[in-house]
Amino acid sequence: MAAPSVDPRGVGGSRPAITCPTPPSDPAVTQFPTTPEQYRQLVEHNRRVAEDCRRATGPLVDRVDTVSAARDFDALREALGARQVSRLGLSYGTLLGKTYARLFPHRVRAAVFDGAVDHSIGFRRMASDEARVTEDVFTRFAKWCGEDVKCALHDRDVLAYYQGLLDRAPLPAQGVPDGVPAEQLGYGTYSALYAPANWPRLAGAPVSPPDP
């Protein structure tokens, strides 16, 4: 018998869902501003995204939070007639599981989380720590490519090659009229670095060769 589960409110198959007519990312608006004007454009774009989400979604948008989601899971436990539950938390599920355990400590039989999030350090420290760790993992990825012939970039200087791709962006891509911007290339790389099992796919990602 499969274990019961549920999509957190506002996402996946849950209804109603969060609806945002304006895409959060706009290739014309950099998410890494270096001038006051770029910063102003980013703030205005983010404000427009939020306002459109609120109009399209309604009151639910103010109630999509981790504490509410944790209480939803306890309502599921009660509906199933279970005295205690076991939780496996991956990525954001770590925070959701930790919140559930804090709210309902006596209802947790066992829990496994793949990461600990210390919210006492503040957003700026969390962002800088994540940036440092990501850079470290990318360096390890480059080292793996240099040592393992299974890496599609085995015969290249991976760090220089990647920098060359960023410098040449936007990169031509099928179905993307304006090409893939550097920021999107960075997000895709970040996602693939998450697990070493993804590294071969990252190394073999189809991109046009650098200019000679």
Side-chain angles (χ1 to χ4, degrees), residues 49-98:
V49 171
E51 291 173 350
D52 289 349
C53 287
R54 180 178 297 280
R55 278 193 294 267
T57 303
L60 174 67
V61 79
D62 294 318
R63 295 173 174 80
V64 182
D65 58 90
T66 301
V67 171
S68 296
R71 294 188 183 281
D72 288 344
F73 276 90
D74 196 60
L76 175 64
R77 175 203 60 77
E78 184 176 357
L80 293 173
R83 186 178 66 86
Q84 290 184 313
V85 295
S86 298
R87 295 194 59 88
L88 170 63
L90 304 178
S91 190
Y92 167 71
T94 294
L95 179 58
L96 181 56
K98 185 175 72 171

Side-chain angles (χ1 to χ4, degrees), residues 153-169:
L153 301 175
H154 178 66
D155 59 345
R156 294 181 180 270
D157 180 336
V158 174
L159 299 180
Y161 177 76
Y162 182 69
Q163 185 61 55
L165 293 177
L166 294 175
D167 293 341
R168 291 171 48 245

Side-chain angles (χ1 to χ4, degrees), residues 25-32 162-172 176 178-190 207:
S25 297
D26 182 346
V29 181
T30 179
Q31 296 188 34
F32 301 98
Y162 182 69
Q163 185 61 55
L165 293 177
L166 294 175
D167 293 341
R168 291 171 48 245
L171 302 175
V176 185
D178 297 326
V180 178
E183 292 172 2
Q184 194 61 45
L185 178 64
Y187 288 137
T189 302
Y190 169 85
V207 294

Side-chain angles (χ1 to χ4, degrees), residues 190-209:
Y190 169 85
S191 299
L193 287 172
Y194 196 78
N198 297 330
W199 291 3
R201 178 174 59 85
L202 172 61
V207 294
S208 56

